[in-house]
Amino acid sequence: MRKTRLLFSGIVAGLLCHAGMAALPDVIFTIGKETHTPGGLALAKGAGWQQYAAVFKEPVVFTVGKSDAAKAWPYIHPSLHDDWAGNRLHPFAIRFTLAEKPAAPLTLVIGQVNSLKRPTILVSVNGKALPPAVAPEGSGDSSGVAEAPVRAERSLFAIAPDLFNVGDNEITVTVDKTSWIIYDFVTLCHNVPPPYVPPTIAHRLEEVRKGDYGAFEEIVFATRNLGPDGHWYANFGHYAYGHEMPSGPDDPRFVMNGDNRQRAIGPVYGSQGRLGVVNIKTGAIRLLIDDTEGAVRDPCVSYDARKIIFSYRKGGSPTFHLYEIGTDGANLRQLTDGGYDDIEPCYLPDGNIVFVSARTKRWVNCWCTEVATIHVCRADGSGIRPLSANIEQDNTPWPLHDGRLLYMRWEYIDRNQVNYHHLWTMNPDGTQHSVFFGNLHPGGLFIDAKPIPGSTDVIFIDSPGHGNTEHQGFVARVSSKEGPDQRQNLRRVSKGGNFRDPWALGDDLFFAARGREIVLLDNDGLESIMFKLPDDYKDCWLHEPRPILPRPREPLIADKTDHAKPVGTFILENVYEGRQMEGVAPGTVKKLIIMESLPKPINFTGGMDPLSYVGTFTLPRVLGTVPVDDDGSAHFDAPALRSLFFIALDAQGRAVKRMQSFTQVMPGEAMGCTGCHEERASAPRTAYATPGGVSASRRPPSAIDAADRAFDVPDFPRHVQPVLDRHCVTCHNPDTRKGGVDLCGDRGPMFSIAYHTLAVRHQIADGRNYAKSNYKPYELGSGGSALMQKLSGSHRDLKIPPEDAAAIALWLDASAPYPGTYAALGCGTIGGYQVNHQNYNNDRDWPTTKAAQPVYEKRCATCHTNDKKPLPRYLSDENGLSFWTPSMNDPKLTTSRHALFNLTRPDKSYFLKAPLAKEAGGLQKCKRDDGAPVFATTGDPDYQTLLKMIEAGRDRLDQIKRFDMPGFRPRIEYLREMKRYGILPPAFDLDNDPVDPYALDRLYWDSFIYTP
């Protein structure tokens, strides 16, 4: 039972109950609202107690009728002993007026939801002190945050009538001793209100059914079962190979023929498709679509609640398209068609439809399924055009109250692939893409977001980690009022993480799908089941519940595009204005280099192989540079609807600061930013806000200058190895290995020896697939890479020609990939990966490998045990290293399979040269206990056995070909997709017609160039 404390100031207790004596209103004032939460008081949302001293430097004064509790009355009241608030008393004054003195005592009710160590509450009325009171015991949570667990209590102070004045009055509350209290509400009244009883969730369900949260009786929903994949996005389209997702390396579907070609195109989608409507009063179901061989998803109710748009894959068809039907089940019509999936539609206030589509013809960069991005079309399905240039997934667009579109964007520009899928906004015309919440901080999939009625918060699903099947996660809410990076403004509502597709009925009441149920939740996470599918639907889940309820149209935002123009314009106000730009002197940055992140036409694994080693998943295209004025401003045109990122360069062409996110412009759009990684909640400075206030705005936009680029798409064998051959390989070759380094261009099992060496010996600073953003200046690319420093004179006075230095610098800034073509994916490797399994040309069971294992045990394993200096025992042996996330300080990296086995010249393999005597051409790094080399001559039969194992890898590589080898031919699936996209002609023979993969990639990328 809630404790109540009542203190009297020289009056008789019975007077408190004297009725009818007061001419004044029963309630004189109330600060906050008794809800057992401090959420409506200052600092409770966002800033927290940490900002108390900065915000409330002066004593708190709350004037009844003028002050706003959300700004003027802090949720937390510190005591004299709280050092974070200055170790002083903090009087909170309440000023109010009375037309006359009360005829009976009034009661000051101080509602608390927490306190720390039971401090003393001191109250004075017009300068006269009341007896002090000890605050009730708190919840035990000492964090001081507004969201902490509560223990609701009241302290009551009875105040005699003669303590009040006619006219101005002031009540002062102070907290002394121990520590703080957290407020629920404060009220001055004649009659103490009855204890607040939170409504039960069952009671609120009845309120919903009565229409208290909108005049609706029905909820539309979809049903479908789960496809074979667990990723949130893998629920449409087909895999790169296989009829279904292989279960593991022993699955026979993983067995590939010699050239690794498999023609099957496997579906990702499920079935058991229905579009149903449930009556929330009776539980009766009526089906609008019943197609158990097909799949239904993403219903959206029109503004007038007369129509429903949804995505539907008819039974027997492989493709989802948009359909519309009346809420009464009449007038079903198909809106879109073709060979690409259209999902997640939503009505827009201008009559158009926004949706997500695979018409962008690209694949997930770290998986073997297709990508869908945001598009728009007219109400009849015509006029389809893209709004997003993302090369990864967009999801669940929905209008905010102000007319902007809220959506989930997944991206990773030189940072970890599974950590950045958060909330963004854009205008309905595709302009002004901007982060809403997240992106700076890693973790969580934020999806299915929708505005909350009467609030600027949004409700969404926070799906943990990289996201769960069908968006499953916690119902959560977030405010972006204080910017997109304030993590304290995100709060999980539900107690469990198995919810999907939330809908807000009000500021503190929601429903969501869970398994086969629709569940009602309040702001505290209390649950009540609204509806559960009957047993007839046991083979599927219930998805996307939406009330059939009219809703107001959002305001229209004027179209800012000009589709007659192939470009848009960027204006950067001051490149030096932003986070982590300290120490960069004005005038340092001379240019911006403009990069385009290039989509993949197909992909085969969950890792980056063989595009990089623990680095980028994506090839960039170097578009060129634009000038930066002396005041740090830039003004330039850029191609429309392309995924762009910028790098600031100094006078030597070295990277000062780089983006790790992409931006874009629509045709004719003018896009501006304040600075380089500026605080998103900050406003432009006065000079920036004034027309012509920055230098670059006083001139026409610059064109991107491509004249001085060493290349456009980086390729290590073409653009970097020749420089190493000219300046480095004389010392760093397989025979000399000065410093233990080999920079020859010979091929290892997956990479060249030089490429892998630079990666694992910390010569490349490229983000390394870390879940980290916003590095300091000169930390990434050419500005932070040790290789660039060595080639600039710090390594044995080595100085190389400017054109060679420029090529190396550009490769480092272009994410330092190995191949320069996506045709290299999924082929040309020994011990390569399919999905996440190392089963492509794995030599573990080859006869030559099996023959070599006893030799290794006899001649090598004595020193190289599993616990001490372990080595790979065959060409595919990862030796305990994670292929995609190894520690880059693991000493095994420098002796991994990629470093030890030379498949161009097997006898030059470090695996063989280290134990071979110098007299026989070896390095004699490995010795027997008696000091003699392990192998005295190359004629040793054991040496020959090990050599044959490596030669078998060479022979297999000569057969299957790598991208930089004569006669290379891409995987048939790569060619299949290029044919499907229309890049290759319909008559192209996938097996026999000649193909130049570099040229084919360019044709594919150029197909995305917007042409009016």
Side-chain angles (χ1 to χ4, degrees), residues 614-796:
V614 201
T616 184
F617 287 77
T618 309
L619 286 173
R621 174 153 55 183
V622 183
L623 299 184
T625 60
V626 296
V628 174
D629 289 11
D630 291 340
D631 65 350
S633 63
H635 186 198
F636 58 96
D637 286 336
L641 280 166
R642 309 267 281 279
S643 178
L644 306 175
F645 63 99
F646 313 142
I647 304 171
L649 304 179
D650 64 15
Q652 287 71 46
R654 302 297 178 261
V656 180
K657 190 80 169 173
R658 74 183 286 128
M659 288 175 63
Q660 290 182 281
S661 184
F662 80 89
T663 187
Q664 68 170 78
V665 281
M666 292 294 287
E669 177 184 3
M671 179 78 161
C673 58
T674 300
C676 190
H677 300 267
E678 77 276 10
E679 293 279 358
R680 291 289 185 144
S682 63
R685 294 188 178 183
T686 304
Y688 306 158
T690 304
V694 296
S695 170
S697 68
R698 298 193 292 270
R699 59 172 172 78
S702 302
I704 296 174
D705 182 5
D708 59 351
R709 62 184 179 180
F711 51 80
D712 59 352
V713 179
D715 183 275
F716 186 88
R718 291 182 171 191
H719 303 130
V720 178
Q721 191 61 50
V723 178
L724 301 180
D725 288 344
R726 286 191 288 271
H727 305 292
C728 306
V729 172
T730 302
C731 295
H732 302 296
N733 58 64
D735 295 320
T736 59
R737 292 181 63 89
K738 286 192 175 180
V741 172
D742 182 0
L743 293 178
C744 76
D746 292 355
R747 300 176 188 91
M750 185 171 286
F751 307 102
S752 72
I753 303 295
Y755 179 85
H756 180 263
T757 298
L758 293 176
V760 302
R761 291 186 178 268
H762 305 281
Q763 300 302 299
I764 301 168
D766 61 349
R768 292 282 86 190
N769 199 34
Y770 298 135
K772 181 179 177 181
S773 302
N774 195 22
Y775 287 74
K776 293 179 181 178
Y778 290 105
E779 278 199 290
L780 294 180
S782 60
S785 294
L787 175 62
M788 199 72 248
Q789 297 168 14
K790 286 182 170 62
L791 298 180
S792 300
S794 68
H795 180 65
R796 300 183 180 273

Side-chain angles (χ1 to χ4, degrees), residues 247-308:
S247 60
D250 298 325
D251 191 311
R253 285 166 294 193
F254 262 119
V255 178
M256 315 298 276
N257 54 21
D259 60 0
N260 193 41
R261 296 181 180 180
Q262 185 169 322
R263 297 179 182 274
I265 304 174
V268 180
Y269 46 78
S271 58
Q272 295 294 315
R274 301 175 185 89
L275 183 66
V277 175
V278 59
N279 187 295
I280 62 173
K281 294 182 178 181
T282 67
I285 300 173
R286 57 186 179 93
L287 292 181
L288 308 183
I289 300 291
D290 187 4
D291 183 354
T292 56
E293 296 301 315
V296 177
R297 52 180 298 160
D298 316 313
C300 174
V301 179
S302 64
Y303 290 98
D304 61 6
R306 294 181 178 179
K307 296 180 295 183
I308 299 167

